[in-house]
Amino acid sequence: MKLNVLASNFAKVVLAGLVVALVNAFTTQAIAETNTSAPRPMLTVKGQVSVPRADAAEEVSEGAAGVVVWLVPADTSRKDRRSSIESPHYKIVQRDKTFVPHLLVVPAGSTVEFPNNDPWLHNVFSISRRIQFDLGLYGTGVLKSVRFDRPGVSYLFCSIHPEMMAIVVTVDSTYFGVSNKGGRIAIDKVPYGQYFLHAWHESAAPLALAATRRVVVGDDHQNLPTIIVSVSRPKPTTVKNWM
């Protein structure tokens, strides 16, 4: 009788031990899965742009607006999540004999639409080295589009109205922004990590455009170092193969 009681108690102890071990195992696995699956929050990266002339110390009179800044992940194996999820709609409208907006930044592979909202014929063409196209003449209410596959700068013109000019800057990233009149810039939804910093301005000196630096984005690194883009050449206002 005593042997049966001892055996029964031993079995209960063993069973209790197994239950505790299983609970601990499941708890440890759940914590590990939570730690590995919980994504870090995206950050808003801010910066300040300075645009001095290449032949002078002071900043240009028109200010530091219109500087394109973008971040390219240093880890080339890391896939840009937003590029596969979002399909933003890009458009440059022809209105009042003007391209609106004048400057458009798009990730490589984007399609840009060119609707004609004027009561007369228009044309859109580019002879830039990065992309060359001619959409021909088309009238009111007609929409044509172009896919911008390669990173680079494309200057757009209208063969009928030579005063019309726009710029499409195609970048190899979805983390980009354009500075305002005060030279301030903000890039939203940037993941933690290391990036190469790029900057561009339509009147920038070629050497200034070639400069890049490596930056870190994290809890204590949400502000970019001051971005200096030297200006030396006039803005293109007529048909010319600039890039």
Side-chain angles (χ1 to χ4, degrees):
M1 186 70 175
K2 290 183 178 180
L3 290 176
N4 292 335
V5 172
L6 290 174
S8 176
N9 290 337
F10 179 76
K12 291 179 180 179
V13 171
V14 172
L15 180 61
L18 289 174
V19 170
V20 171
L22 288 173
V23 170
N24 289 338
F26 283 125
T27 302
T28 302
Q29 182 179 359
I31 293 174
E33 289 178 353
T34 300
N35 290 337
T36 56
S37 61
R40 286 179 169 179
M42 301 293 187
L43 301 175
T44 296
V45 178
K46 298 181 180 180
Q48 182 69 38
V49 173
S50 176
V51 185
R53 290 193 181 279
D55 55 354
E58 72 277 4
E59 190 168 288
V60 295
S61 59
E62 61 263 30
V67 175
V68 180
V69 176
W70 66 100
L71 301 172
V72 177
D75 182 3
T76 56
S77 65
R78 193 182 76 189
K79 186 177 181 180
D80 190 337
R81 294 179 182 176
R82 290 201 296 171
S83 63
S84 60
I85 297 175
E86 299 179 359
S87 297
H89 188 71
Y90 294 100
K91 183 180 296 186
I92 294 181
V93 179
Q94 299 164 96
R95 183 172 60 238
D96 299 327
K97 296 182 180 180
T98 305
F99 287 119
V100 182
H102 168 73
L103 172 65
L104 179 67
V105 187
V106 302
S110 299
T111 297
V112 180
E113 298 178 343
F114 299 96
N116 182 358
N117 288 4
D118 273 335
W120 42 72
L121 292 174
H122 273 308
N123 161 253
V124 184
F125 75 94
S126 171
I127 55 174
S128 298
R129 295 175 186 172
R130 294 295 181 183
I131 184 171
Q132 299 183 18
F133 63 88
D134 190 334
L135 299 183
L137 300 179
Y138 57 102
T140 304
V142 178
L143 180 151
K144 295 191 177 185
S145 62
V146 175
R147 183 177 173 85
F148 290 80
D149 290 320
R150 299 175 60 191
V153 182
S154 303
Y155 291 90
L156 314 180
F157 301 93
C158 174
S159 60
I160 302 178
H161 308 99
E163 70 275 18
M164 294 178 63
M165 192 272 285
I167 304 171
V168 175
V169 180
T170 308
V171 298
D172 50 350
S173 174
T174 57
Y175 313 119
F176 57 82
V178 181
S179 62
N180 61 18
K181 292 182 179 180
R184 291 180 294 276
I185 193 163
I187 305 175
D188 295 326
K189 299 181 180 180
V190 181
Y192 288 63
Q194 296 187 29
Y195 297 84
F196 290 109
L197 172 65
H198 299 257
W200 177 90
H201 186 274
E202 61 182 299
S203 298
L207 290 179
L209 301 181
T212 61
R213 71 181 84 175
R214 197 171 182 131
V215 297
V216 175
V217 174
D219 291 328
D220 299 325
H221 299 87
Q222 299 183 40
N223 293 313
L224 298 172
T226 301
I227 302 165
I228 301 175
V229 180
S230 298
V231 173
S232 64
R233 67 187 183 192
K235 298 178 181 179
T237 55
T238 58
V239 177
K240 190 171 182 179
N241 184 6
W242 283 83
M243 296 290 286

